Amino acid sequence: MLQTTRPRRLRRTPALRRLVRETILTVDDLIYPMFVMEGKNTREEVPSMPGAYRYTLDLLLKEIAEVAALGVNAIALFPAVPPEKKDDLGSESYNPEGLIQQTVRAIKQATPDILVITDVALDPFTTHGHDGLVDQNGIILNDPTIEVLVKMSLSQAAAGTDIVAPSDMMDGRIGAIRLALDEQGYEHVAILAYSAKYASAYYGPFRDALGSAPKSGDKKTYQMDPANSREALKEIYLDIAEGADIVMVKPALAYLDIIAKVKAETDLPVAAYNVSGEYAMIRAAAQMGWIDEKKVILETLTSMKRAGADMILTYFAKEVALILSTVDRS
Ligand code: PBG
């Protein structure tokens, strides 16, 4: 048989493969999510996330300096709030002297160039563990929650955050936060909207890290149904109309179709969150000796970028930055 098209021709050598490679993962794509806790000179490994830690501020600053030296541009902060500081209303979330606010100020002093992204949602701060305020019937209240999210965003902006990232999935919060930031002179603070955030079982290890699992009920009345795809676009359009600068799909690995769809619909940068459960699965299989960890990490993150992600939040960020500085790219 006469065969004129032979795709293998371009796979013959490493140089040819590099020449035609469509997707290159770089350290610029990475955002490193980090957990901060109160206290001094301590770090605690998250049991369900081997290799990921809760850091006290002093050690967090050291870790940030290390990843910055490896070329990581951005971190996303999450607070482990002690139970005695939680209440039903999440009031600690907008305390100007709160853990996150102090942490942002300290980072901006120590490493001013690294981008700081702060999460806007109530779950680490509430006794019930929900992202919003809850009424006596267990209903998550939308508009009253937004008032708290606005206060939280303003206090983070005052502390010097670069990007606020609402991860709560209340309706209308992006517009309300944008308006408030602009009114208060924070028009330079960007919004990374968790636009298509699904009610996912992949968040389990993250909730272990922060002790933020909901005490009752689930998050299905505000986070999206994993079975839905067109609804993701509805959420994306709303957030764009309300002033989002970057839109996010979360989780990433089981939602690559959503990332691709969103990318085709918007000219805004698209972020993907390689969440805690995705991280835990790779670590666990690697610990068993069942997979080649480094290769699986790179293949997984490359697939997210190939699907359309312009940036990836990943607990592997430091490791990937190290691998990329030494990698054999054949
Ligand atoms: C909560 C929030 C969650 C994550 C980021 N922000 C968990 C949740 O919605 O319960 C999960 C991140 C991860 O699993 O890595 N606002």
Side-chain angles (χ1 to χ4, degrees), residues 47-123:
S48 50
M49 299 178 71
Y53 299 85
R54 288 181 289 256
Y55 297 92
T56 55
L57 178 54
D58 47 357
L59 297 192
L60 185 92
L61 293 176
K62 277 195 192 159
E63 176 76 359
I64 292 174
E66 277 180 37
V67 296
L70 289 169
V72 173
N73 270 327
I75 57 157
L77 286 177
F78 297 94
V81 179
E84 66 275 12
K85 294 206 172 148
K86 299 188 185 193
D87 63 22
D88 284 355
L89 305 175
S91 8
E92 180 65 15
S93 65
Y94 52 86
N95 176 359
E97 297 307 319
L99 178 59
I100 278 294
Q101 290 80 357
Q102 286 185 22
T103 302
V104 172
R105 284 197 294 266
I107 296 169
K108 282 293 158 191
Q109 275 219 318
T111 30
D113 292 338
I114 199 153
L115 284 172
V116 175
I117 302 173
T118 42
D119 197 68
V120 180
L122 299 187
D123 50 313

Coordinates of all heavy atoms in Angstrom, one line a residue, residues 47-123:
P47 N -2.2 15.2 56.4 CA -2.1 13.7 56.2 C -2.6 13.2 54.9 O -2.0 12.3 54.3 CB -3.0 13.2 57.4 CG -3.0 14.3 58.4 CD -2.9 15.6 57.6
S48 N -3.6 13.8 54.4 CA -4.2 13.3 53.1 C -3.5 13.9 51.9 O -3.9 13.7 50.7 CB -5.7 13.5 53.0 OG -6.0 14.8 53.4
M49 N -2.5 14.8 52.2 CA -1.8 15.5 51.1 C -0.3 15.4 51.3 O 0.4 16.4 51.6 CB -2.2 16.9 51.0 CG -3.7 17.1 50.6 SD -4.1 18.9 50.6 CE -3.3 19.4 49.1
P50 N 0.3 14.2 51.3 CA 1.8 14.1 51.6 C 2.6 15.1 50.7 O 2.3 15.2 49.5 CB 2.1 12.7 51.1 CG 0.8 11.9 51.1 CD -0.3 13.0 50.8
G51 N 3.5 15.8 51.4 CA 4.3 16.8 50.7 C 3.6 18.2 50.7 O 4.3 19.1 50.2
A52 N 2.4 18.3 51.2 CA 1.8 19.7 51.4 C 1.7 20.0 52.9 O 1.4 19.1 53.6 CB 0.5 19.7 50.7
Y53 N 1.9 21.2 53.2 CA 2.0 21.6 54.6 C 1.2 22.8 55.0 O 0.9 23.6 54.1 CB 3.5 21.9 55.0 CG 4.4 20.8 54.8 CD1 5.0 20.6 53.5 CD2 4.7 19.9 55.8 CE1 5.9 19.5 53.3 CE2 5.6 18.9 55.6 CZ 6.2 18.7 54.4 OH 7.0 17.6 54.2
R54 N 0.8 22.9 56.2 CA 0.3 24.1 56.8 C 1.5 24.7 57.4 O 2.2 24.1 58.2 CB -0.7 23.8 57.9 CG -2.1 23.4 57.4 CD -3.0 23.1 58.6 NE -2.6 22.0 59.4 CZ -3.2 20.8 59.4 NH1 -4.3 20.6 58.6 NH2 -2.7 19.8 60.1
Y55 N 1.8 26.0 57.1 CA 2.9 26.7 57.6 C 2.5 27.8 58.6 O 1.6 28.6 58.3 CB 3.7 27.4 56.5 CG 4.3 26.4 55.5 CD1 3.6 26.1 54.3 CD2 5.6 25.9 55.6 CE1 4.1 25.3 53.4 CE2 6.1 25.1 54.7 CZ 5.4 24.7 53.5 OH 5.9 23.9 52.6
T56 N 3.3 28.1 59.6 CA 3.2 29.3 60.3 C 3.8 30.4 59.4 O 4.7 30.1 58.5 CB 3.9 29.3 61.7 OG1 5.2 28.8 61.5 CG2 3.1 28.3 62.6
L57 N 3.5 31.6 59.7 CA 3.9 32.7 58.8 C 5.4 32.8 58.5 O 5.8 32.9 57.4 CB 3.4 34.1 59.4 CG 3.7 35.3 58.6 CD1 3.3 35.2 57.1 CD2 3.1 36.5 59.2
D58 N 6.2 32.6 59.6 CA 7.7 32.7 59.4 C 8.2 31.7 58.4 O 9.0 32.0 57.5 CB 8.4 32.6 60.8 CG 7.9 31.5 61.7 OD1 6.9 30.8 61.3 OD2 8.5 31.2 62.7
L59 N 7.6 30.4 58.6 CA 8.1 29.4 57.6 C 7.5 29.5 56.3 O 8.0 29.1 55.2 CB 7.8 28.0 58.2 CG 8.5 27.6 59.5 CD1 8.4 26.2 59.8 CD2 10.0 28.0 59.5
L60 N 6.3 30.1 56.2 CA 5.6 30.3 54.9 C 6.4 31.3 54.1 O 6.7 31.1 52.9 CB 4.2 30.9 55.2 CG 3.4 31.1 53.9 CD1 2.5 29.9 53.6 CD2 2.4 32.4 54.0
L61 N 7.0 32.3 54.8 CA 7.8 33.3 54.1 C 9.0 32.7 53.5 O 9.5 33.0 52.4 CB 8.2 34.5 55.0 CG 7.0 35.4 55.5 CD1 7.5 36.4 56.5 CD2 6.3 36.1 54.3
K62 N 9.6 31.7 54.2 CA 10.8 31.0 53.7 C 10.4 30.2 52.5 O 11.2 30.2 51.5 CB 11.3 30.0 54.8 CG 12.2 30.7 55.8 CD 13.0 29.7 56.6 CE 13.7 30.3 57.8 NZ 14.0 29.4 58.8
E63 N 9.3 29.5 52.6 CA 8.9 28.6 51.5 C 8.6 29.5 50.2 O 9.0 29.1 49.1 CB 7.6 27.8 51.9 CG 7.0 27.0 50.8 CD 7.7 25.7 50.5 OE1 8.8 25.4 51.1 OE2 7.3 24.9 49.6
I64 N 8.0 30.7 50.5 CA 7.7 31.6 49.3 C 9.0 32.0 48.7 O 9.1 32.1 47.5 CB 6.8 32.7 49.8 CG1 5.4 32.2 50.2 CG2 6.7 33.8 48.7 CD1 4.5 33.3 50.8
A65 N 10.0 32.4 49.5 CA 11.2 32.8 49.0 C 11.9 31.7 48.1 O 12.4 32.0 47.1 CB 12.2 33.3 50.1
E66 N 11.7 30.5 48.6 CA 12.3 29.4 47.8 C 11.6 29.2 46.5 O 12.2 29.0 45.5 CB 12.2 28.0 48.6 CG 13.3 27.9 49.6 CD 13.1 26.5 50.4 OE1 12.7 25.5 49.8 OE2 13.4 26.5 51.6
V67 N 10.3 29.2 46.5 CA 9.6 29.0 45.2 C 9.8 30.2 44.3 O 9.8 30.0 43.1 CB 8.1 28.6 45.4 CG1 7.9 27.3 46.1 CG2 7.2 29.7 46.0
A68 N 9.9 31.4 44.9 CA 10.1 32.6 44.0 C 11.5 32.4 43.3 O 11.6 32.7 42.1 CB 10.1 33.8 44.9
A69 N 12.4 31.9 44.1 CA 13.8 31.7 43.5 C 13.7 30.6 42.3 O 14.5 30.7 41.4 CB 14.8 31.2 44.5
L70 N 12.8 29.7 42.4 CA 12.6 28.7 41.4 C 11.8 29.3 40.2 O 11.5 28.6 39.2 CB 11.9 27.5 41.9 CG 12.7 26.6 42.9 CD1 11.8 25.6 43.5 CD2 13.8 25.9 42.1
G71 N 11.3 30.5 40.3 CA 10.6 31.2 39.2 C 9.1 31.2 39.3 O 8.4 31.6 38.4
V72 N 8.5 30.6 40.5 CA 7.1 30.6 40.6 C 6.6 32.1 40.9 O 7.2 32.8 41.7 CB 6.6 29.7 41.8 CG1 5.1 29.9 42.1 CG2 7.0 28.3 41.5
N73 N 5.6 32.5 40.1 CA 5.2 33.9 40.1 C 4.1 34.2 41.1 O 3.8 35.4 41.3 CB 4.5 34.2 38.7 CG 5.4 34.6 37.7 OD1 6.4 35.3 38.0 ND2 5.1 34.3 36.5
A74 N 3.3 33.2 41.4 CA 2.1 33.5 42.1 C 1.7 32.5 43.2 O 2.0 31.3 42.9 CB 0.9 33.6 41.1
I75 N 1.2 32.9 44.3 CA 0.7 31.9 45.3 C -0.8 32.3 45.6 O -1.2 33.4 45.4 CB 1.5 32.0 46.6 CG1 1.5 33.5 47.1 CG2 3.0 31.6 46.4 CD1 1.8 33.5 48.6
A76 N -1.5 31.2 46.1 CA -2.9 31.4 46.5 C -3.0 31.0 47.9 O -2.6 29.9 48.3 CB -3.8 30.6 45.6
L77 N -3.4 31.9 48.8 CA -3.4 31.7 50.2 C -4.7 31.2 50.8 O -5.8 31.7 50.5 CB -3.1 33.0 51.0 CG -1.7 33.5 50.9 CD1 -1.7 34.9 51.6 CD2 -0.7 32.6 51.5
F78 N -4.6 30.2 51.7 CA -5.8 29.7 52.4 C -5.4 29.6 53.9 O -4.4 29.0 54.3 CB -6.2 28.3 51.9 CG -6.6 28.3 50.4 CD1 -5.6 28.0 49.4 CD2 -7.9 28.6 50.1 CE1 -6.0 28.1 48.1 CE2 -8.2 28.7 48.7 CZ -7.3 28.4 47.7
P79 N -6.3 30.1 54.8 CA -6.0 30.1 56.2 C -6.6 28.9 57.0 O -7.7 28.5 56.7 CB -6.7 31.4 56.7 CG -7.9 31.5 55.8 CD -7.6 30.8 54.5
A80 N -5.8 28.3 57.9 CA -6.3 27.4 58.8 C -6.7 28.1 60.1 O -5.8 28.5 60.8 CB -5.3 26.3 59.1
V81 N -7.9 28.4 60.2 CA -8.4 29.3 61.3 C -8.7 28.4 62.5 O -9.4 27.4 62.4 CB -9.7 30.1 60.9 CG1 -10.2 31.0 62.0 CG2 -9.4 30.8 59.6
P82 N -8.1 28.8 63.7 CA -8.4 28.0 64.9 C -9.9 28.0 65.3 O -10.5 29.1 65.1 CB -7.5 28.6 66.0 CG -7.1 29.9 65.5 CD -7.2 29.9 64.0
P83 N -10.4 26.9 65.8 CA -11.8 26.8 66.0 C -12.4 27.9 66.9 O -13.5 28.4 66.7 CB -12.0 25.5 66.8 CG -10.8 24.7 66.4 CD -9.7 25.7 66.1
E84 N -11.6 28.4 67.8 CA -12.1 29.5 68.7 C -12.3 30.8 68.0 O -13.0 31.7 68.5 CB -11.3 29.6 70.0 CG -9.8 30.1 69.8 CD -8.8 29.0 69.4 OE1 -9.3 27.9 69.1 OE2 -7.6 29.3 69.5
K85 N -11.8 30.9 66.8 CA -12.0 32.2 66.1 C -13.1 32.0 65.0 O -13.3 33.0 64.3 CB -10.6 32.6 65.4 CG -9.6 33.0 66.4 CD -8.6 33.9 65.9 CE -7.7 34.4 67.0 NZ -6.3 34.7 66.6
K86 N -13.7 30.9 64.9 CA -14.8 30.7 64.0 C -16.1 31.1 64.7 O -16.2 30.9 65.9 CB -14.8 29.2 63.5 CG -13.6 28.8 62.8 CD -13.8 27.4 62.2 CE -12.4 26.9 61.6 NZ -12.6 25.7 60.8
D87 N -17.0 31.6 63.9 CA -18.4 31.8 64.4 C -19.3 31.5 63.2 O -18.9 31.2 62.1 CB -18.6 33.2 65.0 CG -18.4 34.3 64.0 OD1 -18.5 34.1 62.8 OD2 -18.0 35.5 64.4
D88 N -20.6 31.7 63.5 CA -21.6 31.3 62.5 C -21.6 32.3 61.3 O -22.1 32.0 60.2 CB -23.0 31.4 63.1 CG -23.3 30.1 63.9 OD1 -22.4 29.3 63.9 OD2 -24.4 30.1 64.6
L89 N -21.1 33.5 61.6 CA -21.1 34.6 60.6 C -19.8 34.8 59.8 O -19.7 35.6 58.9 CB -21.5 35.9 61.2 CG -22.8 35.9 62.1 CD1 -23.0 37.2 62.8 CD2 -24.0 35.6 61.1
G90 N -18.8 34.0 60.2 CA -17.5 34.1 59.6 C -16.9 35.5 59.8 O -16.1 36.0 58.9
S91 N -17.1 36.1 60.9 CA -16.6 37.5 61.1 C -15.1 37.7 61.1 O -14.6 38.7 60.7 CB -17.2 38.2 62.4 OG -17.9 37.3 63.2
E92 N -14.4 36.6 61.4 CA -13.0 36.7 61.4 C -12.4 37.0 60.0 O -11.3 37.4 59.8 CB -12.4 35.4 62.0 CG -10.9 35.3 62.1 CD -10.2 36.4 63.0 OE1 -10.9 37.0 63.8 OE2 -9.0 36.5 62.9
S93 N -13.2 36.7 59.0 CA -12.8 36.8 57.6 C -12.4 38.2 57.2 O -11.6 38.4 56.3 CB -13.9 36.3 56.6 OG -15.0 37.1 56.7
Y94 N -13.0 39.2 57.9 CA -12.7 40.6 57.5 C -12.0 41.4 58.7 O -12.0 42.6 58.7 CB -13.9 41.3 57.0 CG -15.2 41.3 57.9 CD1 -15.3 42.2 58.9 CD2 -16.1 40.3 57.7 CE1 -16.4 42.1 59.8 CE2 -17.2 40.2 58.5 CZ -17.4 41.1 59.5 OH -18.5 41.0 60.4
N95 N -11.5 40.6 59.6 CA -10.7 41.2 60.7 C -9.4 41.8 60.1 O -8.6 41.1 59.5 CB -10.3 40.2 61.7 CG -9.4 40.7 62.8 OD1 -9.0 41.8 62.8 ND2 -9.1 39.8 63.8
P96 N -9.2 43.1 60.2 CA -8.0 43.7 59.6 C -6.7 43.1 60.1 O -5.6 43.1 59.5 CB -8.1 45.2 59.9 CG -9.3 45.4 60.7 CD -10.0 44.1 60.9
E97 N -6.8 42.6 61.3 CA -5.6 41.9 61.9 C -5.7 40.4 61.9 O -5.0 39.7 62.6 CB -5.4 42.3 63.4 CG -5.2 43.8 63.6 CD -4.0 44.3 62.8 OE1 -3.0 43.6 62.7 OE2 -4.1 45.4 62.2
G98 N -6.6 39.9 61.0 CA -6.7 38.4 60.9 C -5.5 37.8 60.3 O -4.6 38.5 59.8
L99 N -5.5 36.5 60.3 CA -4.3 35.7 59.8 C -4.0 36.0 58.4 O -2.8 36.2 58.0 CB -4.6 34.2 60.0 CG -3.6 33.2 59.6 CD1 -2.3 33.4 60.3 CD2 -4.1 31.8 59.8
I100 N -5.0 36.0 57.5 CA -4.8 36.3 56.1 C -4.2 37.7 55.9 O -3.3 37.9 55.1 CB -6.1 36.0 55.3 CG1 -6.2 34.5 55.0 CG2 -6.1 36.8 54.0 CD1 -5.1 33.9 54.1
Q101 N -4.9 38.6 56.5 CA -4.5 40.1 56.3 C -3.0 40.3 56.8 O -2.2 40.9 56.1 CB -5.5 41.0 57.1 CG -6.9 41.0 56.5 CD -7.8 39.8 56.9 OE1 -7.4 38.9 57.6 NE2 -9.0 39.9 56.4
Q102 N -2.7 39.7 57.9 CA -1.3 39.8 58.4 C -0.3 39.1 57.5 O 0.8 39.6 57.2 CB -1.1 39.2 59.8 CG -1.8 40.0 60.9 CD -1.5 39.3 62.3 OE1 -0.5 38.6 62.4 NE2 -2.3 39.6 63.2
T103 N -0.8 38.0 57.0 CA 0.1 37.2 56.1 C 0.4 38.0 54.8 O 1.5 38.0 54.3 CB -0.5 35.8 55.8 OG1 -0.8 35.1 57.0 CG2 0.3 35.0 54.9
V104 N -0.7 38.5 54.2 CA -0.5 39.3 53.0 C 0.5 40.4 53.2 O 1.4 40.6 52.4 CB -1.9 39.8 52.4 CG1 -1.7 40.7 51.3 CG2 -2.8 38.7 52.1
R105 N 0.3 41.2 54.3 CA 1.2 42.3 54.5 C 2.6 41.8 54.7 O 3.5 42.5 54.1 CB 0.7 43.1 55.8 CG -0.5 43.9 55.6 CD -0.7 45.0 56.7 NE -1.0 44.3 58.0 CZ -2.2 44.1 58.5 NH1 -3.2 44.6 57.8 NH2 -2.4 43.5 59.6
A106 N 2.8 40.7 55.4 CA 4.2 40.3 55.6 C 4.8 39.8 54.3 O 6.0 40.0 54.0 CB 4.2 39.1 56.6
I107 N 4.0 39.1 53.4 CA 4.6 38.7 52.1 C 5.0 39.9 51.3 O 6.0 39.9 50.6 CB 3.5 37.8 51.4 CG1 3.2 36.5 52.2 CG2 4.1 37.4 50.0 CD1 2.1 35.7 51.6
K108 N 4.1 40.9 51.3 CA 4.3 42.0 50.4 C 5.6 42.8 50.9 O 6.3 43.4 50.1 CB 3.1 42.9 50.4 CG 2.0 42.4 49.5 CD 2.5 42.5 48.0 CE 1.8 41.5 47.1 NZ 2.4 41.4 45.8
Q109 N 5.9 42.7 52.2 CA 7.2 43.3 52.6 C 8.4 42.4 52.3 O 9.4 43.0 51.8 CB 7.1 43.4 54.2 CG 6.4 44.6 54.7 CD 7.1 45.2 55.9 OE1 7.5 44.4 56.7 NE2 7.3 46.5 56.0
A110 N 8.2 41.1 52.4 CA 9.4 40.2 52.3 C 9.7 39.9 50.8 O 10.8 39.9 50.4 CB 9.2 38.9 53.1
T111 N 8.6 39.7 50.0 CA 8.8 39.3 48.6 C 7.8 40.0 47.8 O 6.8 39.4 47.3 CB 8.6 37.8 48.4 OG1 7.7 37.3 49.4 CG2 9.9 37.0 48.5
P112 N 8.0 41.3 47.6 CA 6.9 42.2 47.0 C 6.6 41.8 45.6 O 5.5 42.0 45.1 CB 7.5 43.6 47.0 CG 8.9 43.5 47.4 CD 9.2 42.1 48.0
D113 N 7.5 41.1 44.9 CA 7.2 40.8 43.4 C 6.3 39.6 43.2 O 5.6 39.5 42.2 CB 8.5 40.6 42.7 CG 9.3 41.9 42.6 OD1 8.6 42.9 42.7 OD2 10.5 41.8 42.4
I114 N 6.2 38.7 44.2 CA 5.4 37.5 43.9 C 3.9 37.9 44.1 O 3.5 38.7 44.9 CB 5.7 36.4 44.9 CG1 5.2 35.0 44.3 CG2 5.2 36.6 46.3 CD1 5.9 33.8 44.8
L115 N 3.1 37.4 43.1 CA 1.6 37.8 43.1 C 0.9 37.0 44.3 O 1.1 35.8 44.4 CB 1.0 37.4 41.8 CG 1.3 38.2 40.6 CD1 0.7 37.6 39.4 CD2 0.6 39.6 40.8
V116 N 0.1 37.8 45.0 CA -0.6 37.2 46.1 C -2.1 37.1 45.7 O -2.7 38.1 45.3 CB -0.4 37.9 47.4 CG1 -1.3 37.4 48.5 CG2 1.0 37.9 47.8
I117 N -2.6 35.9 45.7 CA -4.1 35.7 45.4 C -4.7 35.3 46.7 O -4.3 34.3 47.4 CB -4.2 34.6 44.4 CG1 -3.4 35.0 43.1 CG2 -5.7 34.3 44.1 CD1 -3.4 33.9 42.0
T118 N -5.8 35.9 47.1 CA -6.5 35.6 48.4 C -7.9 35.0 48.1 O -8.6 35.6 47.2 CB -6.5 36.8 49.3 OG1 -6.9 37.9 48.6 CG2 -5.2 37.0 50.0
D119 N -8.2 34.0 48.8 CA -9.5 33.3 48.6 C -10.6 34.1 49.3 O -10.4 34.6 50.4 CB -9.4 31.9 49.2 CG -10.5 31.0 48.7 OD1 -10.5 30.7 47.5 OD2 -11.4 30.7 49.4
V120 N -11.7 34.2 48.6 CA -12.9 34.9 49.2 C -14.0 33.9 49.3 O -14.6 33.6 48.3 CB -13.3 36.1 48.4 CG1 -14.5 36.8 49.0 CG2 -12.1 37.1 48.2
A121 N -14.2 33.4 50.6 CA -15.3 32.5 50.9 C -15.3 32.3 52.4 O -14.3 32.5 53.0 CB -15.1 31.2 50.2
L122 N -16.4 32.0 52.9 CA -16.5 32.0 54.4 C -16.1 30.6 55.0 O -15.9 30.6 56.2 CB -17.9 32.3 54.8 CG -18.4 33.7 54.4 CD1 -19.8 34.0 55.0 CD2 -17.4 34.8 54.8
D123 N -16.0 29.6 54.3 CA -15.9 28.2 54.9 C -14.7 28.1 55.9 O -14.9 27.4 56.9 CB -15.9 27.1 53.8 CG -15.0 27.3 52.7 OD1 -14.9 28.4 52.2 OD2 -14.2 26.4 52.3

